[in-house]
């Protein structure tokens, strides 16, 4: 399955480094060639000789970098590969990558590469949960770095929780997905995101606090799994992801038109915070403070984009996913919304100001399907996106 593929495997310094040796074996079993790069700390856990013997390739490390530079420079080393894999990827390696450091062979190779990078983080629970690591993770996923794990369990340090490196076979699956363009290859998915702006007059508008961060992360995660994504976005605070078709709109009506034009699709994910109302009448001129009389604004209801796609009959995408932004009784309201709108899944979240979710970097969602409600722990919006994208891939398989 990986025949002819060349993988540059950077082995960081962590107790999980011993699993990297098994990973080399598993990758080679599938036909890949593996070039190991040991960080200085990595050499404390596995010897260059064992990595080299298993890979049947020369091992690169800082210890030998002067001679290696004569044979193959770090630029060729990084470009010669089809994929760069970091396993185990320590908190320090993540920080170096996020900061753009290039002070040793591994970090220099990572800076010089034009290939995709997959990291398998492994560290103590508290180090993983540390805000600095989570910040670095968000930066890295934002840069398009692929992540597998960490998983939850007993750790070598005696603690319990997330931080264990993914098992070699899980890493192999992530490598295959990355190299085969992922399980969503050939699928078209429409994603709506951001707020909409509804003009009051030529200079004023009605809006909401949506930053577009969650919808953007979902579009990025779907594209990372190989989907062709049409990203219909209102005026969002965050930039759209790379590698998707971006359609910029302002109003709910424009968003509906753009979504309709983008169909057919295999799935639709409606993460936009669409304004429920627009002005009943278009005001061609700025409303003036005429003699102190207060203006009376009359509203008309906007079209419901999610409901109209979910109930669209023949051309309906096989999977329609909506969001429910609630401030109380999240599961009850989300469940009712799923039935009312006719969508397959609802991703419900509590957007009360004290949760910090709207406009923030984290989300705590409950996925509501015909199988019931599944509460996910609070996590980064990128992680919510990755998990949702994986579920979508599973559902469309
Ligand atoms: N939605 C939509 N078009 C609208 C309103 C909402 O596509 N005009 C979609 C959103 O993108 C989201 C879902 O419907 O996926 C639910 O949005 P939400 O604001 O939670 O619900 P509303 O339908 O606006 O209902 P309410 O404000 O009464 O909670």
């Amino acid at each position: 399955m990986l025949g002819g593929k060349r993988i540059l495997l950077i082995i960081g310094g962590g107790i999980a480094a011993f699993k990297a040796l098994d990973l080399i074996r598993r990758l080679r079993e599938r036909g890949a060639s593996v070039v190991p790069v040991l960080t200085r700390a990595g050499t404390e856990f596995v010897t260059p000789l064992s990595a080299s013997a298993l890979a049947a390739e020369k091992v690169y490390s800082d210890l030998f970098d002067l001679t290696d530079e004569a044979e193959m420079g770090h630029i060729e080393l990084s470009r010669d590969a089809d994929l760069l894999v970091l396993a185990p990827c320590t908190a320090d390696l993540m920080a170096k990558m996020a900061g753009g450091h290039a002070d040793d062979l591994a970090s220099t190779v990572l800076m010089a590469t034009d290939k995709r990078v997959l990291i398998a983080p492994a560290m103590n629970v508290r180090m993983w949960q540390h805000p600095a690591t989570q910040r670095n993770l968000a930066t890295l996923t934002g840069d398009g770095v692929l992540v597998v794990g960490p998983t939850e369990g007993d750790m070598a340090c005696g603690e319990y929780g997330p931080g264990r490196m993914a098992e070699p076979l899980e890493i192999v699956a992530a490598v295959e997905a990355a190299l085969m363009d992922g399980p969503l290859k050939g699928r078209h998915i429409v994603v709506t995101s951001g707020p909409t702006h509804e003009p009051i007059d030529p200079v004023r508008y009605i809006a909401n606090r949506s930053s577009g961060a969650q919808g953007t992360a979902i579009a990025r995660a779907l594209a990372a799994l190989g989907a062709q994504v049409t990203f219909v976005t209102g005026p969002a605070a965050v930039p759209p992801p790379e590698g998707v078709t971006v359609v910029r709109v302002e109003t709910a009506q424009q968003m509906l038109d753009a979504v309709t034009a983008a169909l057919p699709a295999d799935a639709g994910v409606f993460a936009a915070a669409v304004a429920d109302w627009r002005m009943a009448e278009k005001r061609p001129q700025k409303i003036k403070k005429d003699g102190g009389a207060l203006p009376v604004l009359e509203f008309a209801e906007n079209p419901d984009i999610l409901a109209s796609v979910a109930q669209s009959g023949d051309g309906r995408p096989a999977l329609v996913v909506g969001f429910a932004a609630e401030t109380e009784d999240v599961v009850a309201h989300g469940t009712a919304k799923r039935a009312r709108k006719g969508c397959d899944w609802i991703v419900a979240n509590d957007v009360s100001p004290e949760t910090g979710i709207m406009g923030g970097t984290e989300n705590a969602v409950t996925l509501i399907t015909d199988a019931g409600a599944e509460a996910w722990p609070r996590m980064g919006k990128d992680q919510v996106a990755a998990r949702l994208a994986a579920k979508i891939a599973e559902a469309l398989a």
Side-chain angles (χ1 to χ4, degrees):
M1 286 148 280
L2 292 173
K5 299 292 183 193
R6 198 168 170 80
I7 291 163
L8 191 82
L9 175 65
I10 296 174
I11 303 175
I15 198 77
F18 75 93
K19 289 199 219 168
L21 297 177
D22 189 32
L23 176 61
I24 295 175
R25 207 165 57 84
R26 303 286 188 179
L27 289 167
R28 291 196 64 211
E29 272 171 9
R30 284 159 181 76
S33 60
V34 182
V35 179
V37 171
L38 283 173
T39 65
R40 196 175 294 274
T43 57
E44 303 284 338
F45 293 87
V46 296
T47 67
L49 190 60
S50 48
S52 168
L54 280 164
E57 289 270 356
K58 183 173 172 49
V59 170
Y60 293 81
S61 85
D62 284 316
L63 302 174
F64 305 111
D65 58 2
L66 285 178
T67 51
D68 293 340
E69 201 61 38
E71 290 169 32
M72 184 189 258
H74 56 267
I75 309 265
E76 290 102 293
L77 194 58
S78 68
R79 306 252 170 106
D80 208 35
D82 295 296
L83 182 73
L84 272 62
V85 178
L86 279 78
C89 184
T90 59
D92 183 56
L93 272 170
M94 286 176 68
K96 276 185 165 165
M97 288 172 78
H101 292 239
D103 59 356
D104 60 11
L105 183 64
S107 55
T108 308
V109 162
L110 285 160
M111 281 292 280
T113 192
D114 57 354
K115 298 295 174 357
R116 299 187 89 180
V117 177
L118 169 73
I119 64 171
M123 65 198 73
N124 166 271
V125 183
R126 295 216 186 275
M127 289 173 78
W128 173 251
Q129 288 168 339
H130 195 285
T133 303
Q134 291 301 311
R135 216 165 39 236
N136 292 334
L137 178 68
T139 303
L140 293 175
T141 50
D143 289 346
V145 169
L146 305 168
V147 185
V148 53
T151 55
E152 196 166 302
D154 286 320
M155 310 209 28
C157 53
E159 289 185 45
Y160 181 91
R164 253 162 62 142
M165 187 170 87
E167 292 304 318
L169 284 179
E170 290 175 73
I171 302 176
V172 168
V175 167
E176 283 174 340
L179 288 173
M180 290 157 63
D181 276 352
L184 287 172
K185 187 175 180 175
R187 303 292 194 176
H188 176 216
I189 303 183
V190 177
V191 178
T192 70
S193 182
T196 63
H197 285 183
E198 307 296 332
I200 296 171
D201 65 20
V203 296
R204 305 181 177 96
Y205 58 80
I206 298 165
N208 59 63
R209 293 183 194 281
S210 166
S211 64
Q214 187 64 81
T216 301
I218 291 168
R220 181 183 294 120
L222 291 167
L225 294 186
Q228 181 212 333
V229 177
T230 303
F231 184 64
V232 182
T233 177
V238 299
E242 298 288 331
V244 304
T245 304
V246 181
V247 185
R248 293 177 199 275
V249 298
E250 199 174 326
T251 65
Q253 185 59 52
Q254 291 167 354
M255 189 172 270
L256 175 65
D257 294 344
V259 167
T260 311
L263 295 176
D266 297 290
V269 181
F270 297 86
V274 185
D276 290 316
W277 304 283
R278 66 177 181 280
M279 298 295 291
E281 259 177 58
K282 266 209 171 107
R283 306 272 191 142
Q285 305 300 335
K286 184 181 169 197
I287 304 172
K288 305 293 286 178
K289 287 196 291 289
D290 273 344
L294 296 175
V296 177
L297 304 182
E298 255 193 78
F299 292 103
E301 195 164 326
N302 268 331
D304 191 316
I305 303 162
L306 170 64
S308 75
V309 173
Q311 296 162 22
S312 63
D314 268 1
R316 183 191 193 275
L319 182 68
V320 177
V321 183
F323 273 69
E326 307 294 345
T327 53
E328 56 179 359
D329 297 338
V330 176
V331 173
H333 281 141
T335 305
K337 210 166 262 185
R338 176 174 173 269
R340 193 168 71 239
K341 304 223 179 193
C343 57
D344 302 297
W345 299 353
I346 278 277
V347 181
N349 55 6
D350 185 345
V351 292
S352 311
E354 62 273 17
T355 64
I357 283 173
M358 213 154 187
T361 56
E362 292 191 330
N363 209 349
V365 309
T366 300
L367 181 68
I368 301 170
T369 67
D370 61 357
E374 183 184 300
W376 294 0
R378 190 178 171 114
M379 56 181 111
K381 287 184 175 173
D382 289 320
Q383 286 168 288
V384 170
R387 198 155 160 176
L388 185 67
K391 280 225 169 242
I392 291 172
E394 219 174 90
L396 292 181

